[in-house]
Amino acid sequence: MSNDDIHGTAKPQFARLRKMLADHLATGEELGFSLHVDIYGEPVLDLWGGHKDAARQEQWREDTIVNVWSSTKPVTNLAALILADRGLIDLAAPVAEYWPEFAANGKEAIEVRHIMSHTSGVSGWETPWTIEDMYDWNRSTSQLARQSPWWEPGTASGYHACNQGQLVGEVVRRVTGKTLKEFVRSEIARPLGADFQIGATARDDERVAEIIPPAPLDFGFGSVPPDHPMVKTFTGPVGDANAANTIGWRRADMGAHNGHGNARSLARMLSPISCGGTVNGTSLLSRATIDRIFEEQANGVDLVLGVPLRWGLGYALPEPRTVPSIPDGTRRTCFWGGWGGSMVVMHPDDGVTIAYAMNKMAPGIIGSDRSNAYLTAIYDAMR
């Protein structure tokens, strides 16, 4: 494939990145993708290309959307920040203040900031628990309310891989009366004009790109004991990327990992963080609330992912040992990515938002070699 197979627009300084994308399509490293960079809400790069299906029969189009896995979490945590900004949630208050049942079995002191920053001790469901069980909102939230924490809340992070959407989303529901997907649609996506949703509606099924799973995750936990948070999180439930191609997955409300959009819409959804809270006249956050993102909540080896991570309030902060492409300098940066490589990065001191979404998943849970290469090329071009 050539640059002619890449669609969209980009400033001239991104020519090397455009060639990289074309090369990845030509070699099959990439199947279908979208990549977006904007500065204070104005795009400087908006590219897409490739195919939306494994058979290569359907082109990835401007309006193609795809499951972005855990790049959904930044949107879910944005919902909580918006409610905090409106004075409806105190991020340092106990979750049980809004969701009384959650206080059961030693969880009465777990704060909203803990569930947003993966330090609550409730990083998964007690087994037996299946992917399909997550689709039932009442069952999944009731189960989380009954559980005990798996480590002392607030003392360390342990990635809330599959359940952060239900944890944060139930607080959203109790406070607003709206489900998480309803709140995201009506209070974030619609005001910003972003083509992004938790799950996907039936009318959008034809636009959804097929997910191509990576090699199966290695769940050989070695010497890790069976009651370790890593084992319990990744077996409650056991992940299967093929689930994202099912109707059950698309119709569910799972703010941890079933957001559907593309790089353009993902960047638009998170651009309020980069732009001082207001994008094209739509104000969602105050600067004071954005500042709170950068209050460090945890810094060390994550109990679930087993790698060094720094967590701010709801978002990861730069940690070069784990995500080398995210700069750790004097300018503030926050981010998160999804299984297989999707990524969204916000730079509130510079007004820059970067997002990447794709359908051919790469190995790894936090970004990928591809996303690292694209981010590095973007930063090089913008120097």
Side-chain angles (χ1 to χ4, degrees), residues 59-75:
Q59 296 290 318
W60 184 296
R61 302 187 184 280
E62 184 176 6
D63 69 343
T64 295
I65 58 175
V66 69
N67 190 85
V68 299
W69 298 102
S70 288
S71 292
T72 313
K73 289 181 174 75
V75 173

Side-chain angles (χ1 to χ4, degrees), residues 103-183:
N105 289 315
K107 302 194 301 302
E108 63 277 355
I110 294 175
E111 300 173 11
V112 176
R113 66 187 178 95
H114 294 146
I115 61 173
M116 293 174 65
S117 302
H118 307 272
T119 62
S120 75
V122 186
S123 57
W125 284 274
E126 295 282 359
T127 54
W129 194 260
T130 69
I131 289 174
E132 290 76 16
D133 290 333
M134 295 190 297
Y135 305 166
D136 185 329
W137 185 271
N138 289 334
R139 182 180 180 190
S140 58
T141 54
S142 296
Q143 174 65 30
L144 292 171
R146 287 191 296 268
Q147 292 182 194
S148 301
W150 296 342
W151 67 91
E152 183 181 348
T155 60
S157 75
Y159 186 47
H160 295 16
C162 295
N163 69 343
Q164 190 179 59
Q166 278 89 343
L167 289 170
V168 175
E170 183 64 3
V171 173
V172 170
R173 191 183 72 83
R174 296 291 179 112
V175 169
T176 67
K178 296 181 178 180
T179 64
L180 178 62
K181 63 162 57 177
E182 288 170 346
F183 186 89

Side-chain angles (χ1 to χ4, degrees), residues 219-283:
F219 287 109
F221 295 109
S223 60
V224 179
D227 62 347
H228 191 281
M230 178 185 294
V231 178
K232 296 181 77 169
T233 300
F234 285 124
T235 57
V238 175
D240 179 2
N242 290 294
N245 293 319
T246 68
I247 296 301
W249 179 278
R250 290 182 191 169
R251 302 295 183 263
D253 192 343
M254 300 185 295
H257 51 200
N258 84 326
H260 283 70
N262 49 40
R264 182 187 317 106
S265 61
L266 186 59
R268 175 50 64 107
M269 293 289 280
L270 277 303
S271 61
I273 292 173
S274 306
C275 298
T278 301
V279 179
N280 293 345
T282 298
S283 183

